[in-house]
Amino acid sequence: MSDARRCPFCGATTEEALCGSCGRDPAAPRRPCRACSKMTPADGAACVHCHAVATSEWTWKLPLIIGLFVLAFVISVMLHMVR
Ligand SMILES: [Zn+2]
Ligand SMILES: [Zn+2]
C-alpha cells in the first residue's frame, strides 16, 4: 500500500502507474486550471475537469485590442460624417 498515490486529476487513490479511475498518469506534469483551479495534465490544452482551454494572455487580449481599434476607427469616421 506504500505505492498508493492520490491521483491529482480525479482524486482517486491508485497503486498503478496509470490511475485506474481516469487513466491518467498521477506523476505526470500538471498545472492548475485557471478556470476551476483543479489539477490538469500540463501537456493537455484543455482542462480535464471543466474543459477550459488554457490560453495565453494574448489570445483574448489581442482580439479585444483589435476590436477597440476598430471601434475607435468607426467612431472617428462617424464623427467626420457628422461634421
Ligand atoms: Zn485519476
Ligand atoms: Zn478546469
Side-chain angles (χ1 to χ4, degrees):
M1 288 300 281
S2 59
D3 280 354
R5 292 177 292 184
R6 194 166 177 277
C7 174
F9 306 122
C10 69
T13 305
T14 178
E15 295 177 54
E16 309 298 321
L18 294 179
C19 172
S21 182
C22 67
R24 297 183 184 91
D25 182 0
R30 55 188 181 267
R31 59 174 175 81
C33 171
R34 284 216 253 169
C36 67
S37 61
K38 290 174 183 168
M39 286 297 173
T40 186
D43 55 354
C47 171
V48 296
H49 302 285
C50 67
H51 304 291
V53 177
T55 53
S56 68
E57 300 270 298
W58 283 102
T59 335
W60 65 270
K61 272 184 185 172
L62 200 60
L64 186 75
I65 290 166
I66 291 170
L68 285 173
F69 267 106
V70 170
L71 191 70
F73 177 75
V74 168
I75 289 171
S76 72
V77 167
M78 285 170 72
L79 287 174
H80 273 283
M81 288 168 73
V82 168
R83 282 173 197 163

